[in-house]
Amino acid sequence: MTQPPLPGVLADVAPILDHWGYPAVAGLVFLEDFGVPVPGETVLIVAAVYGGAGRLNLVLVAVVAFLAAVVGDNVGYAIGRFGGHRVVERYGRYVLLTPARVAKAEAFFTRHGGKIVTVARFIEGLRQANGIIAGLAEMPWRRFLFFNALGAALWVGVWVTFGALAGAHLNTLYPEIRRYELYVLMALAVLAVLLVARHLYRRRRDTAERRRGGDG
């Protein structure tokens, strides 16, 4: 039976997966996990949907994504640990890591490091930066590796499970998704506006803090 096209942003990522398959999952998840702005999580979800629909091997998707996530975060950890604040201060703005945010994140990691590394994968922004910040905070590598692997297993497990269920029932779900797609897009548009407003507010606040620090 011919499978229907994927809806929304999933359809935008699908050609990448159609062409590259498992290397696309490995490469994009790996790059996203040390700060490169690529759709790693999205391609994982699409790959899981493909697995549920029988287009990819679901177990292989999970294994590839888990390994790529762990290795990617360890690259981020090495950047933070050995590159230090000098590298992050120079290039951090490209992944929204301003000095003020790094200082707050380091203090938070000092108190709650293991828990943060575990749940970071489910939080946009922190997923891409948690390895770098853990390295900057000089979290012991073995401790980081354990909680990083635990978080990667939970993250991959959740998305592979939901994606597989969606893929297995795609013919049923797709008409419903199409019916409510306009409402979903409107909600996403509102969410995007709120995120942009929050980003501008934080940038203005960080600028004000730097000016006060300079005046002092």
Side-chain angles (χ1 to χ4, degrees), residues 3-11 45-46 49 162-188:
Q3 297 288 345
L6 297 174
V9 68
L10 300 182
I45 296 170
V46 177
V49 173
F162 280 104
L165 289 172
H169 301 90
L170 198 57
N171 287 321
T172 303
L173 290 174
Y174 185 72
E176 296 300 317
I177 292 172
R178 292 292 296 175
R179 180 184 301 178
Y180 297 106
E181 188 172 23
L182 178 59
Y183 300 103
V184 173
L185 291 175
M186 290 172 62
L188 290 175

Side-chain angles (χ1 to χ4, degrees), residues 35 88 91-102 124-125 129 133 195 198-199 202-203 206:
V88 175
Y91 300 106
R93 64 182 182 274
Y94 297 114
V95 291
L96 303 180
L97 283 180
T98 63
R101 288 181 189 167
V102 169
E124 187 65 29
I133 296 171
L195 291 174
R198 186 181 70 170
H199 170 66
R202 287 182 173 178
R203 187 169 66 177
D206 293 342

Side-chain angles (χ1 to χ4, degrees), residues 30 33-35 70-88 128-141 144-145 148:
F30 169 75
D33 272 32
F34 65 91
V70 172
V71 174
D73 260 356
N74 274 272
V75 170
Y77 178 88
I79 291 171
R81 187 69 182 264
F82 302 112
H85 288 83
R86 178 179 56 84
V87 171
V88 175
Q128 294 85 346
N130 90 95
I132 295 174
I133 296 171
L136 286 172
E138 298 186 356
M139 184 179 185
W141 177 72
F144 171 77
L145 180 62
N148 178 39

Side-chain angles (χ1 to χ4, degrees), residues 115-139:
K115 291 179 285 187
I116 296 302
V117 171
T118 302
V119 303
R121 296 188 179 278
F122 296 93
I123 304 172
E124 187 65 29
L126 192 56
R127 179 173 65 253
Q128 294 85 346
N130 90 95
I132 295 174
I133 296 171
L136 286 172
E138 298 186 356
M139 184 179 185

